[in-house]
Each structure stands twice: as C-alpha cells, then as structure tokens.
C-alpha cells in the first residue's frame, strides 16, 4: 500500500511557520525516529533554521551537504490514508500511515505537474499526532481528521476486509 498517501506540490515560494518534528516522528532519508523535538523555521516556502538536539544537527548536516538552496524548499505536503500501514516499519508504511501528516523538502520536478524545484535532495518527514492546515483549511487536529470525508469509515472497512479474504484473481 505505498500509494495510500494523498499529497500535492505547494507553491514552492509560499508558506511560513514552524514545523515541529516531535518525538516518534520519522526522518525518512535518515531512517530514524525523532528522539528530541526539532524545530524548523519556514519562511517563503523554505527552511530558514533547524534547531534542537542531535537530530537537528544531523538534519543541518544532511541539508548542508548539497550546497543547494533548493534542498530547503517545500516539495510536497499531504497525509496518509492507509489503516493497514505499520508505523514501526520505516519507509513507505510511514508515508501512508493513516492520519499522518507528510511534508517534504527538496526536489519535486517529475513528481508533480507544474512543479519547479530541481535538486539532488529530497527529504520526507511523516509526522503523527499533528494539527495542521492547508490554505487556511484545517485538515487535522491532534492526529485526527477534522473533515468528515477524510475520516475512516467502519462500513467501508468491512467491505475492504471482506475483499481481502479472496486472493487477487480468485473467483468467489
């Protein structure tokens, strides 16, 4: 289920705020869970500072090795939709984990139509238990969808569970 994620390319030069990577969030390229909060100050769609402990130091080193300002630019933002994903399996399970907030920085050309950021860098940060907004529309509050159409529906889950009883191509 690696495609159980919804994301879009933002306006690369827009967006301000502080991204807080909390304990247990994933630094995907480093294949490490955050152990101490990291604070990324974002201005005009790019990371301006990274503060915190060891993980912040590792991230500053990782971004810095590219010597490329585009490495710090918004690449995409979205959320996971897959209830079967296992947060404890680093990689694509983190990206599609139900109700995670996924944000990435660096290259997005070739990923999204109209995207324009070219870089050798691309770093994904799947994060749990967040509250966040896209274009002033709140998507989640403390890791729960606030938009009804995005919420997990038990009746839909029952249909999926029944379908999983039959191997692909089997006739019932």
């Amino acid at each position: 289920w690696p495609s159980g994620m919804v994301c879009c390319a933002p306006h690369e030069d827009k967006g301000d705020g502080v991204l807080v990577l909390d304990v247990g969030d994933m630094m995907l390229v480093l294949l490490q869970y955050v152990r101490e909060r990291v604070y990324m100050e974002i201005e005009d769609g790019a990371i301006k500072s990274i503060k915190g402990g060891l993980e912040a130091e590792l991230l500053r080193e990782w971004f810095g090795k590219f010597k490329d300002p585009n490495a710090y630019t918004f690449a995409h933002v979205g959320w996971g939709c897959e209830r079967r994903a296992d947060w404890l399996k680093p990689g694509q399970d983190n990206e599609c984990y139900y109700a995670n907030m996924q944000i990435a920085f660096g290259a997005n050309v070739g990923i999204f139509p109209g995207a324009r950021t070219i870089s050798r860098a691309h770093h994904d940060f799947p994060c749990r238990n967040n509250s966040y907004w896209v274009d002033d529309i709140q998507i989640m509050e403390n890791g729960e969808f606030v938009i009804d159409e995005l919420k997990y529906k038990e009746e839909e889950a029952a249909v999926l569970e029944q379908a999983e009883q039959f191997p692909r191509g089997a006739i019932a």
Side-chain angles (χ1 to χ4, degrees):
W1 40 79
S3 62
M5 171 178 65
V6 174
C7 61
C8 63
H11 292 283
E12 287 96 333
D13 58 350
K14 297 197 186 311
D16 299 297
V18 176
L19 172 63
V20 178
L21 301 179
D22 206 352
V23 173
D25 289 342
M26 173 54 77
M27 300 176 294
L28 204 52
V29 169
L30 302 178
L31 284 178
Q32 290 185 9
Y33 293 98
V34 174
R35 286 174 260 153
E36 186 178 339
R37 281 188 174 169
V38 175
Y39 300 87
M40 294 183 181
E41 185 180 351
I42 299 167
E43 292 177 11
D44 300 322
I47 298 169
K48 298 300 181 193
S49 70
I50 303 172
K51 297 176 182 170
L54 173 62
E55 285 91 354
E57 184 178 326
L58 292 172
L59 288 171
R60 285 191 301 271
E61 183 177 333
W62 187 87
F63 280 103
K65 75 180 181 177
F66 293 97
K67 299 180 181 2
D68 176 9
N70 284 344
Y72 298 90
T73 303
F74 273 143
H76 60 79
V77 64
W79 52 85
C81 302
E82 182 53 69
R83 279 268 195 204
R84 297 171 296 176
D86 184 348
W87 187 257
L88 299 178
K89 289 183 180 175
Q92 292 187 337
D93 271 54
N94 296 124
E95 291 183 310
C96 63
Y97 186 83
Y98 180 77
N100 91 82
M101 187 273 304
Q102 164 87 8
I103 190 165
F105 299 88
N108 65 3
V109 167
I111 302 173
F112 299 99
R116 62 178 197 253
T117 303
I118 298 171
S119 179
R120 291 181 302 120
H122 184 88
H123 202 315
D124 296 289
F125 296 96
C127 305
R128 297 190 300 175
N129 305 317
N130 286 41
S131 299
Y132 76 100
W133 293 254
V134 175
D135 293 334
D136 296 325
I137 298 170
Q138 187 170 14
I139 306 298
M140 285 189 198
E141 178 70 31
N142 298 319
E144 295 292 329
F145 287 113
V146 296
I147 299 172
D148 193 52
E149 291 84 5
L150 299 176
K151 293 178 182 177
Y152 181 74
K153 309 283 191 301
E154 292 296 329
E155 61 275 6
E156 292 172 16
V159 170
L160 286 174
E161 188 175 304
Q162 187 177 20
E164 287 176 355
Q165 293 176 8
F166 299 99
R168 203 164 261 228
I171 298 174

